[in-house]
Amino acid sequence: MNKITKTLSALTIASMAGAFSACSDSASTAGVTEEASGIANKDSTDNRDTTAKEPASDSFSGKISGVSQKGPFLVGSSITLHEIDGESFDLSGRTFVDKIKNDNGEFEISYKELSSKYALFIANGYYRNEVSGAKSTAPITLNALSDLSERSSANVNLFTHLEYDRIKYLIEKESLSYSEAKAQAEQEILAAFNISVKDAANAEDLSIFGETENDGALLAISVLMQGNSSEAVFSERLALVAQDLEEDGSIDDEQLKADIADGISSVDLAKVKKNILDWKLSTTIPEFESKVESFWTSVYGLGECSDENIGESKKNTNKLSKKHNDAYVCSNDGWREQNEMELSLGPCTSANALQKEFADDGIYLCMDSEWMSVTPYEYDSLALDCKKDGPVSSDLTGSYYSCIDGSIKSLAFEEMSIASEFTADIWNGATDSKAKIGDTEYALTFGVYEFHGSIYNDKGKERKVNSYTDQNVVVYDDKGESSTLGDKGIKFAYTLSYDNWYDIANIATGFDVNDGSEGIDATDWDGFCLVYASSSPLLARIYGENLGEDIAHAAIPASMELTVANIKWEDFEVETAGLPSDAKVPSIENLVQNMFGIEVTVERSNSIKNFSPDAGIVYIAGYGKYNGCSVK
């Protein structure tokens, strides 16, 4: 250890010990006036020369002011100016001591008859923590080496502290001048933290409340070094980085860099910015976020995050990191750790906004860089392009809506094209209310089961319905009044309400053909036809002896016009969800040969991808056998 290092170490230790006691006392009196606390001002005799020395012929005298910042040091923290020999750069032993005069970290020291223009400032005390926003629980010591000639202010900060050992090394070991050593050290420190600036600036001129990119660099380094660590860990890290920088101006300890990256990668920098502004010491702070990110993403091997690769996902490749193999995504705000939903569903950024994904518990939509759980109607309301008024179709539910003034609305009956004439062999809605199969007539039903919500006629008249066994025949005539089967078929609007995505809600129209014991053989019908218009997709279902188990279904798409759907029996798909694992799965042929009924439903099924919307309108005009329905 050289002479200057030995002398400085002794002074620093002594200064830290004395200041720890002083700062501990001052911390409990924060907020008192300067007069009450005895803090020195410009007229105070506390700006004292602690040693006696004859004046030099070309001595330096004056006042120097500045701020001491990590975040700002707190009132009562100590600030000491040490005289430095201009030839050897050793400490002379002459000191001038004062205290930080407010919680902004401001100080002012008078000095007399210095033999050299170079001085060392040592600040010791408690400080404001930018990352937590709180006052520190332990004091720290920061250094600043400065040329006092033509300078009336000099700040003490993390940058001045880190450059100190490197400047001494370059002067003593590489014979650089002070100005050369300082310029080189400052460039090296910026490079060590992967920070680039256009024009260099003296570290003593920087402030975390400044406006330049160099001020932003200071704040970035301060935040990086602090991370989410305690003051004890921060102090140790500060010493290790300064020591690593001393001989070659770079941080060569890869584990140390990984630890710094780990400490900051999960910190919310927006919250850090808010913490600093909440101190009410400044209305603005310099941009620092990109500089912080540049360091830790480089350490993790993530590369650049720009408009060209938003949405890209990468893993931390640094094996020294505690977060090795953790996944990160490039977003509008830079690289960020993927959250739990993103690990399951994939990244959610502006690059895939409004993308939908299906999970075991429902539908998710990428909104504002976050996966949101949505109902089918919520998805449609958020995702559909509604720039023009008129009908629009959903790619999720296959349903139709109205775009009105930029918002999604349910269709009205008058928006449907349902004025066409129609015929059907089984039921002609213009003449009767029975399904005739052979010589037997069967009553048509309109019912609701496993459902919570409301049914409306096409004039908006509401009919409340409850769960299960609500099998009343309800039809509406042209005036929207409830009656028996009307001359225009069955028309209704519905609103579903449910608590869980897996709730099943059926609204069914159709007919039962069993007499309580057995069904009929409908093989020679070849299939089934339906005359309909609906804002929602429908399901045609045939069922056998065990309703809820022996069921087959066929999908029927939504249609804005009166439409004929012809479905062959072989196009129906048998449902097996309700069957025991060892049960024999019935065939379509079995169901058709012993058919108990046919129904057409608006259903919120237990298949996420077959959701119906929350509201819609349906018009059933006629049923028939395959190719037995027509629309003129």
Side-chain angles (χ1 to χ4, degrees):
M1 184 180 289
N2 56 43
K3 181 177 180 182
I4 186 170
T5 303
K6 290 180 180 179
T7 306
L8 177 60
S9 297
L11 286 170
T12 301
I13 293 171
S15 175
M16 288 178 64
F20 186 93
S21 175
C23 291
S24 297
D25 293 340
S26 67
S28 65
T29 60
V32 299
T33 64
E34 293 186 12
E35 291 79 10
S37 63
I39 298 171
N41 57 33
K42 63 180 181 180
D43 298 319
S44 172
T45 56
D46 283 351
N47 288 303
R48 60 190 183 278
D49 180 356
T50 61
T51 59
K53 188 174 182 179
E54 291 297 322
S57 58
D58 56 349
S59 62
F60 296 87
S61 298
K63 292 179 181 179
I64 190 84
S65 62
V67 292
S68 182
Q69 295 176 333
K70 162 57 181 75
F73 275 51
L74 302 182
V75 61
S77 300
S78 69
I79 181 73
T80 305
L81 186 155
H82 294 267
E83 181 185 61
I84 290 183
D85 185 282
E87 297 296 328
S88 64
F89 267 78
D90 292 335
L91 301 179
S92 69
R94 295 186 69 207
T95 61
F96 299 84
V97 181
D98 207 337
K99 292 183 179 180
I100 304 298
K101 61 183 182 178
N102 55 41
D103 281 349
N104 295 355
E106 295 175 343
F107 64 85
E108 184 177 71
I109 298 181
S110 295
Y111 56 91
K112 300 178 181 178
E113 300 166 352
L114 297 179
S115 61
S116 166
K117 63 182 180 179
Y118 301 111
L120 172 68
F121 295 89
I122 299 180
N124 180 275
Y126 292 82
Y127 65 94
R128 294 179 187 266
N129 184 324
E130 308 97 317
V131 176
S132 70
K135 296 176 181 179
S136 68
T137 59
I140 61 169
T141 298
L142 296 181
N143 304 325
L145 187 61
S146 186
D147 179 351
L148 299 181
S149 62
E150 300 182 359
R151 176 179 284 279
S152 60
S153 65
N155 297 335
V156 182
N157 53 53
L158 216 61
F159 207 144
T160 64
H161 184 89
L162 291 175
E163 73 176 1
Y164 176 68
D165 287 337
R166 179 60 176 158
I167 291 173
K168 288 192 305 172
Y169 183 90
L170 292 171
I171 292 172
E172 294 181 353
K173 301 297 184 181
E174 299 188 14
S175 301
L176 269 64
S177 67
Y178 169 79
S179 59
E180 291 172 335
K182 184 173 177 61
Q184 180 174 325
E186 290 177 351
Q187 288 297 320
E188 289 170 339
I189 290 171
L190 289 172
F193 285 95
N194 204 35
I195 295 174
S196 176
V197 296
K198 292 181 181 178
D199 301 305
N202 285 332
E204 311 98 287
D205 295 326
L206 302 182
S207 168
I208 65 171
F209 300 118
E211 299 179 351
T212 70
E213 63 175 350
N214 289 283
D215 294 315
L218 167 64
L219 181 53
I221 292 172
S222 185
V223 171
L224 279 167
M225 292 292 290
Q226 180 71 63
N228 56 11
S229 305
S230 66
E231 283 79 9
V233 172
F234 163 73
S235 294
E236 180 184 22
R237 180 179 295 161
L238 186 61
L240 291 173
V241 172
Q243 177 180 306
D244 202 346
L245 287 167
E246 181 178 3
E247 293 190 4
D248 61 5
S250 63
I251 304 175
D252 302 310
D253 187 335
E254 295 299 327
Q255 183 62 64
L256 182 56
K257 288 197 289 187
D259 291 343
I260 294 173
D262 287 345
I264 197 63
S265 62
S266 60
V267 170
D268 184 349
L269 298 184
K271 185 177 180 181
V272 172
K273 182 176 181 177
K274 182 179 184 300
N275 289 340
I276 299 173
L277 292 174
D278 283 349
W279 295 338
K280 307 298 183 184
L281 303 178
S282 175
T283 57
T284 60
I285 59 173
E287 195 283 325
F288 69 98
E289 296 91 338
S290 63
K291 299 175 179 62
V292 171
E293 182 180 297
S294 176
F295 177 82
W296 70 263
T297 56
S298 175
V299 173
Y300 283 0
L302 300 178
E304 184 180 7
C305 175
S306 65
D307 292 341
E308 284 71 32
N309 65 326
I310 287 179
E312 181 181 10
S313 178
K314 284 188 175 182
K315 288 188 176 182
N316 173 4
T317 59
N318 191 324
K319 294 183 179 180
L320 298 176
S321 168
K322 295 177 182 177
K323 299 182 178 182
H324 177 231
N325 272 336
D326 282 2
Y328 294 81
V329 60
C330 174
S331 70
N332 290 80
D333 297 323
W335 288 104
R336 60 170 174 76
E337 194 167 0
Q338 288 187 229
N339 56 44
E340 186 175 346
M341 286 305 302
E342 287 183 308
L343 293 175
S344 173
L345 300 177
C348 173
T349 68
S350 61
N352 62 327
L354 300 182
Q355 175 181 324
K356 65 179 181 298
E357 292 292 340
F358 299 103
D360 290 341
D361 59 347
I363 308 169
Y364 286 83
L365 184 66
C366 178
M367 286 285 292
D368 299 325
S369 297
E370 183 177 352
W371 287 109
M372 296 174 56
S373 177
V374 295
T375 67
Y377 181 75
E378 286 173 335
Y379 169 80
D380 290 340
S381 297
L382 293 168
L384 291 182
D385 183 355
C386 212
K387 295 178 181 177
K388 296 181 179 180
D389 285 357
V392 61
S393 179
S394 164
D395 65 339
L396 174 66
T397 63
S399 300
Y400 284 96
Y401 301 91
S402 281
C403 283
I404 302 175
D405 296 330
S407 297
I408 294 295
K409 307 291 184 183
S410 294
L411 285 170
F413 274 103
E414 53 266 25
E415 295 179 83
M416 307 285 283
S417 299
I418 58 176
S420 301
E421 298 180 7
F422 56 89
T423 60
D425 288 347
I426 292 181
W427 169 53
N428 185 331
T431 60
D432 58 52
S433 60
K434 301 292 182 180
K436 191 172 183 180
I437 303 173
D439 295 328
T440 306
E441 292 183 340
Y442 301 95
L444 281 157
T445 64
F446 171 79
V448 181
Y449 60 92
E450 295 187 74
F451 170 79
H452 301 273
S454 299
I455 299 295
Y456 302 84
N457 65 26
D458 58 334
K459 302 301 182 183
K461 185 176 179 180
E462 181 178 10
R463 169 173 169 258
K464 293 289 186 182
V465 293
N466 299 312
S467 298
Y468 309 106
T469 66
D470 188 349
Q471 298 292 333
N472 298 322
V473 175
V474 178
V475 293
Y476 301 107
D477 59 24
D478 285 340
K479 296 179 181 180
E481 299 297 330
S482 177
S483 69
T484 57
L485 287 174
D487 61 358
K488 290 295 184 181
I490 300 174
K491 299 192 292 186
F492 63 92
Y494 66 91
T495 300
L496 300 179
S497 58
Y498 36 77
D499 297 323
N500 300 295
W501 69 266
Y502 46 79
D503 284 346
I504 298 174
N506 277 3
I507 306 171
T509 73
F511 52 87
D512 295 322
V513 297
N514 69 303
D515 60 5
S517 59
E518 51 183 46
I520 59 99
D521 185 352
T523 304
D524 61 350
W525 296 354
D526 295 326
F528 172 72
C529 70
L530 175 70
V531 182
Y532 76 102
S534 175
S535 65
S536 313
L538 304 173
L539 284 179
R541 310 180 76 174
I542 56 176
Y543 51 89
E545 184 174 357
N546 297 311
L547 182 62
E549 294 182 0
D550 296 349
I551 294 179
H553 69 265
I556 302 173
S559 175
M560 290 287 290
E561 300 179 347
L562 198 61
T563 302
V564 174
N566 278 295
I567 311 164
K568 285 186 173 293
W569 293 138
E570 56 262 34
D571 293 332
F572 281 78
E573 179 182 347
V574 175
E575 297 178 16
T576 59
L579 293 176
S581 58
D582 58 349
K584 181 180 179 181
V585 178
S587 66
I588 293 294
E589 290 78 8
N590 295 147
L591 289 174
V592 171
Q593 289 169 3
N594 191 35
M595 186 170 66
F596 274 45
I598 294 179
E599 67 181 16
V600 174
T601 72
V602 174
E603 179 181 35
R604 187 165 192 244
S605 73
N606 56 1
S607 170
I608 294 173
K609 296 184 182 181
N610 290 331
F611 277 160
S612 291
D614 299 325
I617 58 174
V618 178
Y619 174 40
I620 304 296
Y623 293 102
K625 65 182 182 181
Y626 188 76
N627 279 331
C629 302
S630 66
V631 176
K632 295 180 181 179

